[in-house]
Amino acid sequence: MSLLVMGFLLGILQPCMGQFPRACANTENLLRKECCPPWDGDGSPCGQLSRRGSCQSILLSQAPLGPQFPFSGVDDREDWPSVFYNRTCQCRGNFMGFNCGECKFGFSGADCTQRRVRTRRNIFRLSTREKDKFLAYLNLAKSTPSRDYVIATGTYAQMNNGSNPMFRNINVYDLFVWMHYYASRDTLLGGTNVWRDIDFAHEAPGFLPWHRAFLLLWEREIQKITGDEDFTIPYWDWRDAAFCEVCTNEYLGGRHPANPNLLSPASFFSSWQVICTRSEEYNSQQALCNATSEGPILRNPGNNDKSRTPRLPSSAEVEFCLSLSQYESGTMDKMANYSFRNTLEGFADPRTAISNISQSGLHNALHIYMNGSMSQVQGSANDPIFVVHHAFVDSIFERWLRRHRPLREIYPAANAPIGHNRENYMVPFIPLYRNGEFFIPSRELGYDYQYLEEPEFGSFQDFLIPYLEQARQIWPWLVGAAVIGGIIAALLTGIALACRKKRRETSPEIQPLLTESEDYNNMSYQSHL
C-alpha cells in the first residue's frame, strides 16, 4: 500500500454514526432525557424547519418478554434507550439519523428521493487495487476519531443519574467494536454479582436483523470517512474451505512465524490493539469497557477444540439450514429446535436443526475456528475477519428471505428474550431502529450480493421453491379433488350414455335430425374426459 494513498485517506475526517451522539452526551440532555440535536442544514432540532423530522416522545413496545431475564430496572439497556433519553428525533419520509440529517438505507440525494442498490462482492473477486483500498479503509477507520459519537464509560447510576456524565472519544472502527461489546455484555447486579444469560444481539430472534443493521451502519461510516459512496463490504464465502483463506498478509493477516497466536508483522493488522476483551475484569469491578488498549489481535486458525468445531462449515450444511421454513421456534433462544435463526447462528446441529450447545456450527463455527480474539463474543469484532464473515452470514439470511418470502409478522412480536421482540429498539443504536425493520429483503435496504445476482446461482430454482413447498403441503387435497372429480365425471358419462340409449328406443318420427348420411346407423359418440 503506497504511503501516498494512506496519507490521503488519513487526511479525510468526516462525521461518524455510532452510539451516544456527542451533542447529547452532557448533563443538560441527560437530565432532560432528550436527544434532539439540530440539523446543520437549517439549525433546527431534527431539521424540523425543513420538514425532515421532529422531536417526539419514544413509544416503547409493551409486548411481554421471555423468561430468560428475571429482573427489572437493573440494566441500562432495558427498554432502550429510555434510561438515558425518552425523547429523540423522529424522522419523516426517507430521512434518517440522530438529527434527521441523513438518508435511509437505499436512498440518496439532497432530498433522499433517489433509489440506489449497491453490490457486496466476494473478497477474492476484488482486483488488487480494490482489495488494497478495502484494507486501507479498515486502517483509516482504526485511526480516525469519531466526530459525532462518544462511548459511555459508566452506567447511568455511576453517572449519578445523568448529573455526572461519563463519556470518552473513540475511533470509528473501535466504536463498532464497543457497540458489539455493549449489546452482548453481562448485566452488572452490584457487588461482584452479574447475570450472564442476557444478550441483545445474539442467541435470539434479533441476531440476524441486529447484525444486518450493524453492517449497514459500519458500511455507511466507511463511505463517509473516505468520501467513497460506492464502497461496500466484501464477503468471505467460507463454505467447504479447507483453511482460513483470508488469513494471509495479502488479505487480513497471516500467521506470525515465531508465535502462532499472533499476526505476521508483515501485515499492518499486527499493530492493531484490541479493546473490550476482558469481560471478567469488568464484571469484578462492576465497570464498563472504557476502550483502553488491551494488546494485539490474537488468532490461531484451525488449532481450536476439534471436538466442538471439527472443520469449517460445508455447502450441504448451509443448504439444509436454508430448507428450514421456521424462522424461530419454541423458547426462541439457543435451545430452539428447527429454527432457521438458531441453526444459522450455530447453536443447533446444521444437519438436524436440533439444539446442541456442546457443538458450534455455521456462524459460531467460524468464531471458534479462529481460536483467538474472534472466539470471545464481546470482543470478537476486533478482528477484521468479523466484517467479511458476517457479511456472508447476512447473505445466507438474505437467501432464506428470498426463498421463503416471510411476512414481517413472522418475526416474533412477543415472548422473545429481552430486547428481541419485533418492536423492541435495538441496543445500543441511536438513532433508533426496531428489530422488525431489518427483517426485509436487502434490496429494500439498498444492497445486494454478487453471487445472488448471478444467473448461475440458480435463482429460478429459488423462485420455484416457495411454490413447490406450497404444492407439497396441499398435494393430498389435490389428489383427493382429482379422485372426486373422476368419480363425478364417470357418473355424468354413465347418465349421458343411458339417455342416448333411451332416445334410440323411441319412435323414429320424434328423433331429431342428426345427419343425412347413409352411415348414420354406424355412428357412435364418445365422451372424452
Side-chain angles (χ1 to χ4, degrees):
M1 178 62 57
S2 71
L3 294 177
L4 180 62
V5 173
M6 287 298 298
F8 171 74
L9 292 175
L10 291 172
I12 304 173
L13 296 179
Q14 296 292 334
C16 173
M17 174 77 71
Q19 206 248 340
F20 288 95
R22 187 183 299 276
C24 302
N26 55 68
T27 301
E28 179 183 0
N29 285 92
L30 289 171
L31 292 179
R32 290 170 56 194
K33 286 185 173 290
E34 181 176 290
C35 185
C36 296
W39 173 52
D40 292 342
D42 63 14
S44 67
C46 313
Q48 185 168 0
L49 293 179
S50 301
R51 299 186 59 80
R52 283 177 166 257
S54 60
C55 189
Q56 296 184 20
S57 298
I58 296 169
L59 298 178
L60 297 172
S61 170
Q62 301 301 314
L65 301 172
Q68 293 85 354
F69 187 70
F71 307 97
S72 179
V74 299
D75 194 310
D76 292 346
R77 299 167 296 178
E78 296 177 52
D79 289 327
W80 180 260
S82 61
V83 168
F84 296 96
Y85 311 108
N86 55 31
R87 286 173 60 81
T88 62
C89 287
Q90 305 294 308
C91 304
R92 296 189 179 96
N94 296 328
F95 297 114
M96 187 184 84
F98 65 85
N99 62 357
C100 301
E102 301 183 6
C103 297
K104 283 184 176 179
F105 301 115
F107 291 89
S108 62
D111 296 323
C112 300
T113 55
Q114 301 173 18
R115 290 285 305 181
R116 183 171 184 181
V117 177
R118 297 176 176 87
T119 300
R120 292 179 180 173
R121 300 168 59 198
N122 189 319
I123 192 170
F124 295 115
R125 291 197 180 184
L126 301 180
S127 67
T128 300
R129 180 177 177 277
E130 291 169 334
K131 180 260 298 177
D132 288 344
K133 183 169 66 172
F134 169 59
L135 301 182
Y137 286 178
L138 287 172
N139 219 34
L140 175 65
K142 188 73 170 179
S143 57
T144 302
S146 170
R147 192 181 77 175
D148 284 352
Y149 281 86
V150 292
I151 62 167
T153 58
T155 66
Y156 193 67
Q158 291 167 348
M159 295 184 195
N160 196 20
N161 297 328
S163 62
N164 180 33
M166 298 173 65
F167 299 97
R168 68 167 291 181
N169 297 323
I170 194 167
N171 67 61
V172 173
Y173 189 95
D174 285 351
L175 174 65
F176 285 86
V177 176
W178 188 91
M179 287 195 291
H180 191 266
Y181 147 79
Y182 190 81
S184 56
R185 69 175 178 85
D186 301 331
T187 294
L188 307 177
L189 296 175
T192 58
N193 299 316
V194 298
W195 185 262
R196 301 180 189 277
D197 191 15
I198 184 171
D199 196 316
F200 290 83
H202 305 86
E203 302 179 13
F207 166 68
L208 292 168
W210 191 95
H211 285 84
R212 172 163 281 196
F214 180 87
L215 290 180
L216 280 166
L217 292 170
W218 191 90
E219 193 170 61
R220 174 163 291 189
E221 291 322 300
I222 297 297
Q223 293 166 1
K224 289 162 61 176
I225 65 174
T226 62
D228 184 356
E229 295 185 356
D230 296 323
F231 170 76
T232 55
I233 299 170
Y235 58 87
W236 172 32
D237 183 350
W238 33 249
R239 292 173 296 180
D240 304 314
F243 57 92
C244 178
E245 300 164 327
V246 295
C247 296
T248 66
N249 292 330
E250 182 183 2
Y251 287 94
L252 299 179
R255 198 187 302 269
H256 194 287
N259 186 339
N261 294 316
L262 298 177
L263 301 185
S264 167
S267 167
F268 53 62
F269 294 115
S270 65
S271 65
W272 279 25
Q273 290 286 302
V274 301
I275 64 171
C276 302
T277 62
R278 301 174 179 171
S279 58
E280 294 306 317
E281 179 180 315
Y282 313 143
N283 289 346
S284 65
Q285 298 174 358
Q286 294 287 292
L288 299 184
C289 165
N290 61 10
T292 299
S293 297
E294 296 173 348
I297 294 174
L298 301 178
R299 189 197 300 158
N300 191 347
N303 289 324
N304 57 290
D305 180 359
K306 295 297 193 297
S307 65
R308 184 177 188 87
T309 303
R311 53 173 172 72
L312 292 171
S314 68
S315 297
E317 290 170 339
V318 171
E319 291 304 316
F320 173 79
C321 182
L322 287 167
S323 72
L324 300 171
S325 59
Q326 293 185 87
Y327 178 75
E328 200 53 89
S329 66
T331 53
M332 295 184 279
D333 55 18
K334 59 186 176 183
M335 302 305 295
N337 296 324
Y338 307 112
S339 157
F340 165 74
R341 186 275 314 163
N342 202 37
T343 305
L344 178 54
E345 189 169 359
F347 294 107
D349 191 310
R351 297 162 298 180
T352 64
I354 301 297
S355 173
N356 183 358
I357 58 175
S358 68
Q359 300 288 307
S360 294
L362 295 180
H363 155 266
N364 286 350
L366 259 290
H367 283 276
I368 299 299
Y369 180 89
M370 292 303 159
N371 196 30
S373 300
M374 271 274 282
S375 306
Q376 191 242 12
V377 175
Q378 296 177 17
S380 58
N382 279 291
D383 192 324
I385 290 178
F386 178 96
V387 179
V388 295
H389 165 47
H390 270 275
F392 189 66
V393 171
D394 183 73
S395 78
I396 299 173
F397 176 36
E398 181 59 24
R399 288 183 63 187
W400 186 87
L401 289 172
R402 295 185 189 186
R403 177 176 295 192
H404 298 279
R405 302 186 180 187
L407 299 175
R408 191 177 301 191
E409 288 71 23
I410 292 298
Y411 187 98
N415 301 313
I418 185 171
H420 288 265
N421 283 341
R422 186 195 310 148
E423 299 303 317
N424 287 150
Y425 290 117
M426 297 180 180
V427 175
F429 302 135
I430 297 177
L432 305 178
Y433 306 103
R434 299 183 190 272
N435 289 305
E437 293 175 20
F438 292 84
F439 193 72
I440 58 176
S442 67
R443 293 184 66 85
E444 295 183 30
L445 295 167
Y447 71 100
D448 203 345
Y449 287 95
Q450 183 180 38
Y451 81 107
L452 301 186
E453 293 179 330
E454 297 170 353
E456 61 267 23
F457 170 69
S459 57
F460 182 69
Q461 175 186 351
D462 276 359
F463 174 79
L464 285 179
I465 282 175
Y467 303 101
L468 294 174
E469 177 65 19
Q470 293 177 16
R472 184 189 66 79
Q473 295 173 359
I474 66 173
W475 75 266
W477 300 98
L478 295 175
V479 172
V483 171
I484 294 173
I487 294 172
I488 294 174
L491 291 173
L492 291 175
T493 301
I495 294 171
L497 291 174
C499 290
R500 293 191 189 102
K501 182 177 180 182
K502 184 175 181 180
R503 286 175 179 171
R504 290 193 187 100
E505 294 172 353
T506 60
S507 169
E509 288 79 6
I510 62 174
Q511 288 188 13
L513 181 62
L514 297 177
T515 180
E516 294 181 356
S517 168
E518 295 179 355
D519 295 329
Y520 167 75
N521 292 328
N522 297 324
M523 288 187 62
S524 64
Y525 293 88
Q526 296 179 349
S527 175
H528 299 279
L529 180 60

